[in-house]
């Protein structure tokens, strides 16, 4: 089985502590989340077509995966396939 390693550009959700007046809250809520670039092995798992990346994969049969990141599909701006490994 070949597993692709990819670079994903995605917008993070936002959170902010403290009180804001309604005009400031409206501006904050309408601002896009910060963009991120994440690189990892794209796993064929995840609910609702979300993108699941692993930063590490053990190559042993039935090996584990590590450092998982799940990105909701609605947050994904682009996915670039960098290559594939045989597993």
């Amino acid at each position: 089985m070949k597993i692709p390693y990819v670079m994903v550009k995605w917008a993070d959700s936002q959170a902010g502590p403290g009180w804001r007046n309604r005009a400031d809250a409206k501006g904050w809520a309408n601002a896009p989340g910060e963009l991120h670039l994440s690189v990892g092995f794209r796993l064929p798992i995840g609910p609702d077509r979300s993108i699941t990346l692993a930063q590490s994969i053990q190559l042993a049969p039935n090996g584990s995966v590590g450092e998982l990141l799940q990105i909701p599909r609605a947050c994904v701006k682009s996915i670039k396939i960098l290559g594939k490994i045989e597993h």
Side-chain angles (χ1 to χ4, degrees):
M1 173 167 93
K2 289 193 175 189
I3 299 175
Y5 51 97
V6 299
M7 180 172 57
V8 180
K9 182 188 285 186
W10 57 286
D12 202 357
S13 61
Q14 301 186 72
W19 290 88
R20 297 167 195 251
N21 66 46
R22 290 180 190 230
D24 288 344
K26 183 178 178 182
W28 178 84
N30 289 327
E34 293 292 322
L35 288 180
H36 300 278
L37 284 177
S38 296
V39 175
F41 299 100
R42 185 173 179 184
L43 302 178
I45 58 175
D48 301 325
R49 299 179 358 152
S50 64
I51 305 301
T52 303
L53 301 180
Q55 289 184 353
S56 299
I57 296 177
Q58 290 178 334
L59 294 178
N62 297 317
S64 298
V65 295
E67 309 309 322
L68 298 178
L69 174 63
Q70 190 177 82
I71 305 169
R73 189 68 172 159
C75 296
V76 174
K77 302 299 181 189
S78 66
I79 301 173
K80 181 178 181 180
I81 297 175
L82 303 175
K84 295 182 179 186
I85 62 162
E86 188 72 38
H87 182 259

